Amino acid sequence: MDRLPNSKHFDSTFKDLRELELFQAMSGENFERLMQGAYLQTFPPQVDLIAEGERSDFLHIVLAGSVELYAQWNNRETSMATVRPTSTFILAATVKDAPNLMSARTLEKSRIVLIPSPDIRAVFDLDCGFARAVVQELAQCYRSVIKNTKDLKFRTSIERLANYLLREQKRQNGQAQFTLPFDKKRLASLLAMRPENLSRAFRQLQDFGVQTQGARVEIQHQADLEALAKPSPLIDDPAS
Amino acid sequence: MDRLPNSKHFDSTFKDLRELELFQAMSGENFERLMQGAYLQTFPPQVDLIAEGERSDFLHIVLAGSVELYAQWNNRETSMATVRPTSTFILAATVKDAPNLMSARTLEKSRIVLIPSPDIRAVFDLDCGFARAVVQELAQCYRSVIKNTKDLKFRTSIERLANYLLREQKRQNGQAQFTLPFDKKRLASLLAMRPENLSRAFRQLQDFGVQTQGARVEIQHQADLEALAKPSPLIDDPAS
DNA sequence: TTGGTTAATTGACAAATATCAAGCAATGAA
DNA sequence: TTCATTGCTTGATATTTGTCAATTAACCAA
């Protein structure tokens, strides 16, 4: 692993990090301190970064690529979320110094900053701006998970898929055509369904104007799909 | 509503609140400020306190009784969590000044403190100790919801019920006999099942040594129930 | 007590979802 | 190219969960 100051890219990386909402309000001095202990690493795809149940040694920040959070129980595995640039993961475990509730692995080649958890907790005790920023980040995460719970408890698998497609379409700038960001097996797991049922669900969505070819999706009848999905800002709007 | 300082009970209520982890680290001055704007109110059962989608005007703290958090979508309703003394709810919406993602109603007669959200945000910007305490509380809430998601995605309804009974048993000091804290309709909703299926699930659990009579539960064969439930600290341990 | 309301249970059935097995399609390595 | 591997799809079937209707049980006010 490279210590950040030794990296050829540390100037631009510093700037990227400093612009993160999480690090904007804190003092330059404390930011320096965090960066001095930090590592920058590029990981290939499918690399396990942290394991469920382990203590959180580092706060992770995804600068490029994407990371899957997943969990296991009773020999089963489920995908919990995807982390994309630029955001953190296992912040809650880090500030509580508690075991990770989820594992994480890279989905693609990813640039990740690792900041030692003790540094985070130490600076967090010193720097009010940072503490306040952590609150905003955690509140955001909390609300995301609540929305996900509502999605799971209220909707059938087809409704979950329909709403997922609408959200993904928005995230990719709202064009009728877009590409699924990962394979369908993982998508099925994320949506709490089996791959077989995801296939069947996609076929049922053809009646609502959704065409697929491999990972390519085209929403031909937006209104029909929305009538089926009944999206709600209190479930599907990432900002609200 | 009573302003706190006018309440006959404000001395002991102050003390109770000050002992809350959320308010322990903050300065006396800022605590006073929060209390000056605060209201204390006793509500009868089944009173709606906040509604999903509304802005959060007050941070709520349950001093006595219990409060149900629930959500609605498409003419359906689901129970999300139960809040018991002494803890807060809608903290995330308050600090983000965002719409509530859940509604709340009293389950029983409840004593609740309401602190105006602008006060919370103002003091939160002034007082580092408070900001740090908010982080701890939010991290705890976040982890609870993650655990709940794992419970939902991994387990069948009978496994969810089995694990719920084990958790509730622990919460009530681990005796073989205990009483369900609310009616079965609400329990079914909390566990993402229909009342009919909850009935049937209780009957299936008889084979695993669970006897019920009304709200009274007796776990006669702890080992059998645990073998079915396969509880995991990373899902079922409220502390970890 | 009575009657009226709601909660809880039961059975029959329908819908949703999971599982198993097979086959096809896409991908990458030799 | 070929083979092998993996991902995706399809059909048949099993299991789980939901719905509807009817009944019983519990509770409360008059």
Side-chain angles (χ1 to χ4, degrees):
Chain A
M1 288 204 288
D2 292 338
R3 290 229 155 209
L4 262 189
N6 299 332
S7 159
K8 289 175 190 170
H9 310 292
F10 81 95
D11 271 345
S12 64
T13 299
F14 269 150
K15 232 165 77 181
D16 289 355
L17 285 174
R18 191 62 164 136
E19 277 166 13
L20 262 184
E21 212 181 325
L22 191 61
F23 298 125
Q24 265 179 37
M26 74 193 308
S27 79
E29 183 189 4
N30 287 324
F31 181 69
E32 290 293 323
R33 170 163 175 195
L34 281 187
M35 291 306 112
Q36 266 163 33
Y39 297 89
L40 170 66
Q41 177 88 12
T42 301
F43 295 96
Q46 305 300 328
V47 171
D48 271 302
L49 301 172
I50 58 174
E52 193 181 334
E54 280 180 1
R55 290 269 147 174
S56 154
D57 294 322
F58 299 94
L59 176 67
H60 291 60
I61 306 170
V62 185
L63 292 182
S66 56
V67 170
E68 177 187 30
L69 302 183
Y70 65 98
Q72 288 170 297
W73 179 74
N74 196 28
N75 290 326
R76 290 159 47 82
E77 178 181 315
T78 198
S79 189
M80 300 283 288
T82 311
V83 188
R84 293 194 168 82
T86 311
S87 52
T88 64
F89 57 93
I90 57 158
L91 180 55
T94 295
V95 297
K96 285 200 84 77
D97 197 9
N100 297 315
L101 295 178
M102 296 180 278
S103 305
R105 69 165 73 95
T106 54
L107 284 173
E108 28 179 347
K109 187 179 166 194
S110 301
R111 272 163 57 85
I112 291 171
V113 174
L114 300 102
I115 304 178
S117 295
D119 292 0
I120 293 284
R121 286 190 292 270
V123 171
F124 165 75
D125 283 339
L126 291 173
D127 194 302
C128 294
F130 184 52
R132 285 194 290 272
V134 171
V135 165
Q136 294 303 320
E137 174 92 2
L138 278 177
Q140 182 72 34
C141 292
Y142 172 78
R143 289 168 64 86
S144 296
V145 191
I146 290 287
K147 288 172 201 160
N148 185 245
T149 304
K150 289 163 74 171
D151 187 58
L152 282 171
K153 290 186 81 170
F154 281 128
R155 293 169 170 165
T156 65
S157 59
I158 290 157
E159 289 170 335
R160 288 197 298 278
L161 174 59
N163 280 290
Y164 172 85
L165 293 177
L166 291 173
R167 290 195 304 267
E168 191 58 25
Q169 182 193 32
K170 266 197 187 165
R171 194 180 68 81
Q172 296 185 27
N173 303 319
Q175 300 303 308
Q177 283 198 23
F178 59 94
T179 305
L180 297 175
F182 33 67
D183 61 29
K184 291 181 180 171
K185 192 175 159 186
R186 204 176 322 280
L187 177 57
S189 180
L190 194 64
L191 296 177
M193 35 197 313
R194 303 293 136 157
E196 294 95 324
N197 292 326
L198 179 63
S199 258
R200 290 186 256 263
F202 267 120
R203 228 167 36 139
Q204 288 189 258
L205 286 189
Q206 287 177 11
D207 296 344
F208 297 86
V210 177
Q211 289 299 322
T212 57
Q213 188 161 7
R216 199 84 196 138
V217 177
E218 181 176 3
I219 296 178
Q220 296 177 326
H221 303 301
Q222 189 82 22
D224 287 0
L225 184 60
E226 285 178 1
L228 171 69
K230 295 178 280 296
S232 155
L234 298 179
I235 302 180
D236 303 289
D237 191 344
S240 93
Chain B
M1 287 203 290
D2 292 339
R3 289 234 157 206
L4 261 189
N6 300 331
S7 158
K8 289 177 188 169
H9 310 293
F10 81 96
D11 271 344
S12 62
T13 299
F14 269 150
K15 231 165 79 180
D16 288 355
L17 285 174
R18 190 64 164 133
E19 278 167 12
L20 261 185
E21 212 182 321
L22 191 62
F23 298 124
Q24 265 179 36
M26 73 193 308
S27 79
E29 184 190 1
N30 287 324
F31 181 69
E32 289 294 324
R33 171 162 173 197
L34 281 186
M35 290 307 110
Q36 266 162 34
Y39 298 88
L40 171 65
Q41 177 88 12
T42 300
F43 295 96
Q46 305 301 327
V47 170
D48 270 302
L49 301 172
I50 58 174
E52 195 179 336
E54 282 179 1
R55 290 270 147 172
S56 153
D57 295 322
F58 299 96
L59 175 67
H60 291 58
I61 306 171
V62 184
L63 293 182
S66 56
V67 170
E68 177 185 31
L69 302 182
Y70 65 98
Q72 286 169 299
W73 180 74
N74 196 26
N75 290 326
R76 290 159 45 83
E77 177 181 316
T78 197
S79 188
M80 299 284 288
T82 312
V83 188
R84 295 196 168 81
T86 311
S87 51
T88 65
F89 58 92
I90 56 158
L91 180 56
T94 295
V95 297
K96 285 198 86 74
D97 196 9
N100 298 315
L101 296 178
M102 297 180 279
S103 304
R105 70 165 73 94
T106 54
L107 285 174
E108 28 179 346
K109 187 180 167 192
S110 301
R111 271 165 56 87
I112 291 170
V113 174
L114 300 103
I115 304 178
S117 295
D119 293 359
I120 293 283
R121 287 190 291 271
V123 171
F124 165 74
D125 283 339
L126 291 173
D127 194 301
C128 294
F130 184 51
R132 285 194 288 273
V134 171
V135 165
Q136 293 304 319
E137 175 94 359
L138 279 177
Q140 180 72 37
C141 292
Y142 172 77
R143 289 168 64 86
S144 295
V145 191
I146 291 287
K147 288 174 202 160
N148 185 245
T149 304
K150 290 163 74 172
D151 187 59
L152 281 172
K153 289 186 83 170
F154 282 128
R155 293 171 171 163
T156 65
S157 60
I158 290 157
E159 289 170 334
R160 289 198 298 276
L161 174 58
N163 279 290
Y164 172 85
L165 293 177
L166 292 173
R167 290 195 304 269
E168 191 58 27
Q169 181 193 33
K170 264 196 188 164
R171 194 180 68 80
Q172 295 185 27
N173 302 320
Q175 302 299 309
Q177 284 199 20
F178 59 94
T179 305
L180 297 175
F182 33 67
D183 60 30
K184 290 180 181 172
K185 191 175 162 187
R186 201 177 324 278
L187 177 57
S189 179
L190 194 64
L191 296 177
M193 32 196 314
R194 304 290 137 158
E196 294 94 326
N197 291 326
L198 180 64
S199 261
R200 291 185 255 265
F202 267 121
R203 228 168 35 141
Q204 288 188 259
L205 286 188
Q206 287 177 11
D207 296 343
F208 297 86
V210 176
Q211 289 299 323
T212 56
Q213 189 159 11
R216 199 85 195 137
V217 177
E218 182 177 3
I219 297 179
Q220 295 177 325
H221 303 300
Q222 189 82 21
D224 287 0
L225 184 60
E226 285 178 1
L228 170 70
K230 296 177 281 298
S232 154
L234 297 179
I235 303 179
D236 304 289
D237 191 342
S240 96

